[in-house]
Amino acid sequence: MARRLPDISAGSALTLHVAGRRIELLHPGRPAHTTGDLIAWLPEERVLFSGDLVFAGLTPLVFMGSVDGALAAVDWLESLQPDVVVPGHGPVLTGTGITRVLDEHRRYYRLILDTAQDGLSRGLTPLQAARQVDLGEFTGWADAERIVLNLHRVYADHAGRDLDVIAAFGNAIAWLGRPMHTSV
């Protein structure tokens, strides 16, 4: 098989036709997981390849995007009314599994936003805020230390500054108490 470099790019949307199948590449309209998120939507088949806008069964990571944007992206994804979601991480979702995972994302992102608001009002650092939060239903999710990275994102956005990636990872390691690993 010959390999070649990509020769097309997409801004907010691009429709491809491959073997008689329509594939829509769509951007959520604002940063979510990252600034360059794209999904692949097969409207006739009602299949959504969400990329890292959906993490099924493990902690979402949005520190290179926006927690507010990720929360809005959940509603946007749901508005497509997919029958099948292929997440960036975790098992393929169908039926009520789609609603369950999207609702979990909403609750998680609201937890991050509420924790950040409380931490900012009390003068806490992202690490201090993360150490005080009860993860509740999210305690068993893999990569729980991502709460620190996600809080760093909200704090940076609130201050109108770039994210300090080194500080964010250093704090995540401190919260975890050991070197980080990841689950896919």
Side-chain angles (χ1 to χ4, degrees), residues 8-79:
I8 59 172
S9 63
S12 61
L14 177 68
T15 300
L16 304 172
H17 297 275
V18 178
R21 178 172 285 142
R22 186 170 122 210
I23 303 169
E24 297 177 6
L25 302 179
L26 304 169
H27 185 277
R30 59 193 277 198
H33 173 68
T34 68
T35 58
D37 298 309
L38 282 178
I39 63 161
W41 171 234
L42 285 69
E44 284 81 23
E45 295 85 354
R46 311 230 41 88
V47 175
L48 170 64
F49 292 84
S50 68
D52 285 346
L53 294 179
V54 178
F55 291 73
L58 67 149
T59 307
L61 181 62
V62 297
F63 81 116
M64 296 308 288
S66 162
V67 177
D68 286 324
L71 184 57
V74 171
D75 293 335
W76 174 69
L77 293 172
E78 188 172 59
S79 75

Side-chain angles (χ1 to χ4, degrees), residues 73-149:
V74 171
D75 293 335
W76 174 69
L77 293 172
E78 188 172 59
S79 75
L80 296 171
Q81 299 179 331
D83 290 335
V84 176
V85 174
V86 181
H89 300 268
V92 172
L93 304 169
T94 60
T96 59
I98 296 169
T99 302
R100 178 185 51 78
V101 168
L102 295 180
D103 285 345
E104 288 171 348
H105 277 58
R106 285 184 186 96
R107 290 191 304 274
Y108 179 78
Y109 294 140
R110 287 186 187 115
L111 174 68
I112 296 299
L113 292 169
D114 291 347
T115 300
Q117 182 179 3
D118 179 63
L120 286 162
S121 71
R122 295 174 47 210
L124 301 177
T125 67
L127 176 58
Q128 291 168 328
R131 284 184 167 153
Q132 292 186 9
V133 70
D134 176 3
L135 289 175
E137 69 180 291
F138 312 114
T139 301
W141 278 1
D143 304 328
E145 68 277 4
R146 291 176 176 177
I147 188 169
V148 181
L149 301 170

